[in-house]
Amino acid sequence: MSTTLASPQASSVKVQYTDCFINNEFVPAVSGKTFATINPATEEEIAQVAEGDAADIDRAAKAARVAFDGGPWRKMDARDRGRLIYKLADAMEDEIDELAALETLDNGKPFRDSRHGDLPLAIDCLRYYAGYADKIHGSVIPVRGNYLCYTRREPVGVAGQIIPWNFPVLMAAWKWGPALAAGCTIVMKPAEQTPLTCLRMAAIAREVGFPDGVINVVPGFGFTAGAATVKHPMIDKIAFTGEHITAQTITRDSAATLKRLTFELGGKSPNVVMADADLDAAVKGAYIGLYLNQGQCCCAGSRLFVQESIEDEFMAKLEKMTRARKVDDPFASDTEQGPQVDEKQFNKIMHYIDKGQSEGANLLTGGKRVGDRGYFIEPTIFNNVSDEMSIATDEIFGPVLSVLTFKDTDEMIRRANQTFYGLAAAIWTRDISKAHDFAARARAGTVWINCYDVFDAAAPFGGFKMSGYGRELGEEGLKAYTESKTVTIAL
Ligand code: NAI
Ligand code: MG
């Protein structure tokens, strides 16, 4: 494992793989078309990438189907399957600096985050699931009459996996880990903004010995390659992370083939600071909870509820910390915030900053573009926000915090739950009763108490309401890649 700590230079990052990866081969798109992937820090093209479409998804789905139905993958001992996943994790660790640099180049997140956050988490996730490969089993069921009844847990088949651009390597690991452990084969469509690291991971998987057709990666756009994945009759399941509107389209498009669906969608998560909280810890939690990854997190604590009596003291500290946040070249070693991923997201965020002001919220700090090249935005805080303003209801997916205040707990919980999302919620308090009461009453799939953004491959993650269904990570995440079969034998 490399121990380099200094940041690499953007210009030294090598881009080796830009074609579709199908049946263990890199091949151009059938149409011959390509599209540009952009460095969001400079707005310059990094490379042209194969633009996969229905014809390429068809080739990938057929390769994955053959690998699932008859290939060596299907016959492989589960323990050997686990060993291959461990090898993939080890090989990614050997190339951790290069993968992290490529992630930063394509996505814009600070190198120190991709190197010390995304990559280690992705590798850990693969190892967690590698250990599961030989521990997937059903149970023996006592039934009436003279029968032996047992269940088997079998792989669901070919998994279509559609991922977003905010954590490209990590989302690939969250989806490959359980699918491979369960014995599925994969057709992955990475986000059009960030295809490069996923293609490199595919090359690494081939090097360590994954058989033909087990992992296929087709870069391309959502309405073409993505939609073709959803509709393909040889694909059994869709695992999707992204916007709820896309999930609704996927639900309709998958109806004809009744695919198994798991969705991890957005949020407008409440992060609550009670008057009795450890204020310094809560300030840090509010800051990380929102600004991590340029604010491009599905679970971002974008509605900060502060109890009235501590508002002035708390906001003074948070404002100071926010103003000091270093927004700069993501390859510089002291950069805390890089650019937003692309022009579309940049424009969406600037639109909400305008809207916040026109709706009457107070722009406490930030609100402007940084520099004139790259999609950089100042860390931004709005206070005097009311519940119905669009900056309090809509997922902005950028470094824009909305601060709301409250008097008492019941009022706070009612308002915290007043959102169609339900991904995460957090509370900062020294009172254990208030903490558990909140944990029980929050309508969200994850609750953090006196912490934020704590993820572990073993801990299930997913949403209530419009934040999706099904869970990723942990045993629940694995089960989402299996079918249960009941076998009954007359004795
Ligand atoms: P999106 O949901 O459109 O894109 C996510 C993935 O779905 C990409 O790979 C895309 O190509 C694919 N996709 C798009 N349309 C599809 C279709 N009809 N069929 C199949 N696949 C399709 O999200 P987008 O447009 O990148 O971002 C829009 C907003 O969504 C963001 O501003 C943010 O609010 C939210 N979002 C939430 C994420 C999360 O982690 N929950 C991740 C990314 C975006
Ligand atoms: Mg979209």
Side-chain angles (χ1 to χ4, degrees):
M1 188 181 136
S2 169
T3 51
T4 317
L5 286 175
S7 282
Q9 296 290 310
S11 57
S12 68
V13 183
K14 275 195 287 251
V15 177
Q16 291 163 276
Y17 306 103
T18 55
D19 277 337
C20 304
F21 183 79
I22 298 173
N23 214 25
N24 266 350
E25 274 183 77
F26 282 99
V27 289
V30 171
S31 68
K33 280 205 250 173
T34 61
F35 67 101
T37 187
I38 304 291
N39 174 352
T42 62
E43 304 177 39
E44 283 162 6
E45 179 180 317
I46 303 168
Q48 285 286 322
V49 176
E51 188 189 325
D53 199 340
D56 309 281
I57 291 295
D58 186 54
R59 292 177 63 195
K62 283 177 176 149
R65 191 78 245 169
V66 167
F68 183 79
D69 290 338
W73 185 241
R74 211 58 187 111
K75 296 172 203 126
M76 191 182 291
D77 189 277
R79 218 154 277 178
D80 294 333
R81 207 166 65 225
R83 284 192 58 197
L84 260 185
I85 307 170
Y86 277 121
K87 280 191 189 167
L88 172 61
D90 290 349
M92 283 175 62
E93 197 166 58
D94 290 342
E95 292 184 31
I96 192 166
D97 289 334
E98 292 84 353
L99 276 165
L102 192 59
E103 188 81 326
T104 288
L105 185 70
D106 213 9
N107 167 282
K109 65 179 71 199
F111 176 76
R112 69 177 201 187
D113 290 357
S114 40
R115 172 63 181 77
H116 301 288
D118 301 54
L119 260 295
L121 282 169
I123 291 163
D124 189 57
C125 176
L126 290 170
R127 290 197 176 124
Y128 171 80
Y129 280 112
Y132 246 127
D134 59 355
K135 298 170 193 71
I136 302 169
H137 53 76
S139 48
V140 178
I141 319 241
V143 293
R144 267 187 213 285
N146 199 16
Y147 299 99
L148 169 64
C149 179
Y150 66 91
T151 57
R152 293 165 49 83
R153 290 217 80 92
E154 298 189 354
V156 69
V158 178
Q161 305 184 320
I162 300 172
I163 58 170
W165 42 263
N166 52 345
F167 295 94
V169 167
L170 189 59
M171 289 300 102
W174 280 25
K175 293 200 164 38
W176 287 10
L180 296 171
C184 294
T185 58
I186 291 170
V187 176
M188 173 162 277
K189 209 241 14 111
E192 54 272 34
Q193 295 86 347
T194 53
L196 298 177
T197 42
C198 185
L199 291 170
R200 178 130 184 186
M201 282 170 67
I204 296 172
R206 178 174 68 179
E207 269 163 44
V208 302
F210 275 86
D212 292 353
V214 174
I215 295 171
N216 304 276
V217 178
V218 180
F221 294 96
F223 62 93
T224 52
T229 309
V230 173
K231 291 176 187 161
H232 203 288
M234 287 183 183
I235 294 177
D236 300 288
K237 172 201 165 82
I238 296 292
F240 168 75
T241 301
E243 194 177 20
H244 67 277
I245 295 167
T246 312
Q248 291 167 329
T249 306
I250 291 175
T251 306
R252 284 190 292 272
D253 282 353
S254 66
T257 49
L258 279 190
K259 287 191 172 52
R260 283 80 186 109
L261 300 175
T262 44
F263 290 150
E264 200 265 275
L265 313 174
K268 192 73 187 178
S269 299
N271 189 5
V272 178
V273 185
M274 305 297 288
D276 67 4
D278 172 343
L279 282 201
D280 290 327
V283 167
K284 272 191 212 137
Y287 173 90
I288 293 296
L290 190 274
Y291 296 120
L292 181 78
N293 207 38
Q294 294 65 246
Q296 301 166 152
C297 293
C298 49
C299 55
S302 51
R303 281 186 302 148
L304 184 70
F305 285 90
V306 180
Q307 199 155 16
E308 246 173 37
S309 58
I310 52 158
E311 185 188 3
D312 292 347
E313 187 188 355
F314 184 90
M315 289 312 298
K317 287 176 188 244
L318 181 61
E319 184 185 346
K320 188 169 169 223
M321 195 177 232
T322 301
R323 283 181 185 269
R325 186 166 176 81
K326 189 149 194 285
V327 183
D328 202 348
D329 171 9
F331 282 98
S333 58
D334 57 348
T335 293
E336 295 168 303
Q337 184 173 308
Q340 309 308 130
V341 76
D342 67 5
E343 190 180 4
K344 179 183 148 205
Q345 295 299 320
F346 174 88
N347 289 337
K348 175 181 171 185
I349 296 160
M350 295 311 284
H351 163 79
Y352 275 107
I353 290 173
D354 286 346
K355 230 171 161 192
Q357 288 169 283
S358 64
E359 286 178 339
N362 176 51
L363 180 62
L364 187 64
T365 182
K368 291 192 293 294
R369 178 177 196 165
V370 178
D372 52 14
R373 203 173 73 124
Y375 307 115
F376 297 90
I377 298 178
E378 287 177 343
T380 300
I381 301 177
F382 279 105
N383 60 356
N384 294 340
V385 176
S386 56
D387 293 347
E388 66 292 339
M389 288 180 186
S390 57
I391 56 168
T393 57
D394 299 1
E395 182 177 56
I396 300 175
F397 231 60
V400 181
L401 180 66
S402 296
V403 184
L404 306 108
T405 56
F406 67 95
K407 280 198 175 64
D408 71 80
T409 307
D410 284 336
E411 171 214 339
M412 174 275 288
I413 291 181
R414 180 183 53 74
R415 291 170 57 205
N417 282 333
Q418 202 174 285
T419 163
F420 72 46
Y421 291 115
L423 195 58
I427 189 165
W428 300 81
T429 176
R430 288 193 168 97
D431 183 328
I432 193 170
S433 309
K434 282 183 198 155
H436 284 294
D437 181 48
F438 179 80
R441 291 164 72 190
R443 297 272 297 147
T446 287
V447 175
W448 285 299
I449 296 171
N450 295 331
C451 57
Y452 209 96
D453 280 338
V454 178
F455 281 93
D456 191 284
F461 183 75
F464 282 28
K465 302 191 272 180
M466 294 295 272
S467 292
Y469 43 74
R471 293 290 175 268
E472 295 192 285
L473 305 182
E475 191 183 3
E476 290 185 56
L478 179 74
K479 279 199 171 153
Y481 285 91
T482 66
E483 292 273 22
S484 174
K485 179 183 281 177
T486 305
V487 181
T488 305
I489 308 153
L491 295 177

